[in-house]
Amino acid sequence: MRLLLIEDEPKLSKAIAQGLREEGYVVDQAFDGGEGERLAFMQEHDLIILDGMLPGLDGLQICQNLRRERIQTPILILSARNQVQDRIAGLNVGADDYLNKPFEFEELLARVRALLRRQVPSQGVQLQAGPLRMDLSCHRVFLQEEEIKLTLQEYRLLEYFLQHQGQIISRLQLAERVWEDPDISLGTVDVYIGYLRNKIDKPFGTHLLQTVRGVGYCLRYDPSDANP
Ligand code: CA
């Protein structure tokens, strides 16, 4: 489990990071808003612990930006402000939980664990990108209501893309997250991308699975790209 901690008070950041590492989590640390947001976009995390008051970019703003880009990573906001209004503002911009400073590390840990547990199929039973729909409860995929037959590996790959819609995903990230094997040949990833395209885009004239030259791939639905 990889966590991102965005907290500008060095002592507090150090104490939290150390405690979480002792619990076996990998912790990336950022000390200002801009750096935190950059890390959140660059690297996939299982949870983000976000201080509300940060130099550079405010915690609520970061939260809002991430959600706008469809990054659904659970977010726990830490704040010195003990106001109900602030709490509501945090939850309104897409935070999942809120913890007031000062707090006991044990409480933070309990909340982190609870959020990570809750995460599993957070998107419900359906994932969708325009005409493409994946039903997770019965492992079936439909495009324009026509069922697409996928192998297990193709299904897992497509599921990952649907969960990260609009994000550019590198081949290495796919190797690590879908194959769970960073040593797999990146050519294999390309081959599977080709298989998927032959099944979901080619027959329908859609361009959902896009190549971002030199970076990776991106699944994105653009309504203006709808086929005839
Ligand atoms: Ca702060």
Side-chain angles (χ1 to χ4, degrees):
M1 290 279 180
R2 189 180 196 113
L3 314 185
L4 173 60
L5 172 62
I6 310 176
E7 166 61 67
D8 61 306
E9 292 166 45
K11 265 185 167 168
L12 181 60
S13 175
K14 191 179 169 194
I16 295 174
Q18 197 173 336
L20 290 170
R21 285 179 187 132
E22 280 167 15
E23 294 296 321
Y25 298 106
V26 176
V27 184
D28 292 332
Q29 285 167 275
F31 297 90
D32 67 59
E35 186 193 7
E37 189 180 73
R38 193 178 58 79
L39 280 178
F41 278 115
M42 214 174 66
Q43 166 79 48
E44 191 178 338
H45 295 93
D46 297 289
L47 177 83
I48 298 171
I49 301 171
L50 178 61
D51 183 25
M53 302 265 271
L54 287 162
L57 198 53
D58 186 63
L60 294 186
Q61 191 61 52
I62 294 176
C63 190
Q64 203 164 15
N65 294 346
L66 292 175
R67 293 302 186 238
R68 198 167 45 218
E69 296 301 319
R70 293 167 176 270
I71 293 179
Q72 300 300 335
T73 311
I75 296 177
L76 170 63
I77 291 196
L78 304 178
S79 183
R81 291 177 293 190
N82 200 358
Q83 299 291 321
V84 174
Q85 285 308 321
D86 288 330
R87 227 181 248 245
I88 293 170
L91 297 172
N92 274 345
V93 294
D96 297 272
D97 200 1
Y98 210 102
L99 185 59
N100 286 317
K101 291 180 182 175
F103 52 83
E104 295 293 323
F105 179 74
E106 288 307 315
E107 182 173 4
L108 173 71
L109 187 59
R111 284 171 188 259
V112 163
R113 286 186 176 140
L115 284 170
L116 290 171
R117 263 200 308 273
R118 209 166 77 185
Q119 203 187 351
V120 190
S122 59
Q123 312 233 15
V125 292
Q126 292 224 0
L127 296 171
Q128 189 151 9
L132 178 69
R133 180 167 66 84
M134 173 176 273
D135 189 328
L136 298 170
S137 60
C138 59
H139 263 239
R140 293 167 78 186
V141 176
F142 301 88
L143 215 157
Q144 294 166 3
E145 294 312 309
E146 191 174 316
E147 183 166 7
I148 315 284
K149 292 285 181 197
L150 299 179
T151 64
L152 182 61
Q153 197 59 32
E154 290 163 357
Y155 180 93
R156 293 190 56 195
L157 185 59
L158 181 60
E159 182 180 11
Y160 189 82
F161 273 113
L162 282 165
Q163 285 168 338
H164 300 84
Q165 267 181 68
Q167 295 177 38
I168 299 168
I169 302 171
S170 71
R171 294 186 294 166
L172 182 62
Q173 191 177 342
L174 292 170
E176 284 175 351
R177 294 287 172 150
V178 179
W179 275 264
E180 292 173 1
D181 177 5
D183 297 326
I184 189 185
S185 131
L186 297 181
T188 304
V189 175
D190 293 331
V191 167
Y192 273 85
I193 295 281
Y195 291 159
L196 257 188
R197 277 203 179 118
N198 283 338
K199 290 185 178 179
I200 64 166
D201 274 333
K202 220 170 159 190
F204 298 90
T206 49
H207 302 93
L208 294 167
L209 197 48
Q210 299 165 9
T211 302
V212 184
R213 204 170 290 274
V215 190
Y217 297 100
C218 176
L219 186 133
R220 183 184 289 138
Y221 173 62
D222 177 358
S224 66
D225 185 40
N227 71 324

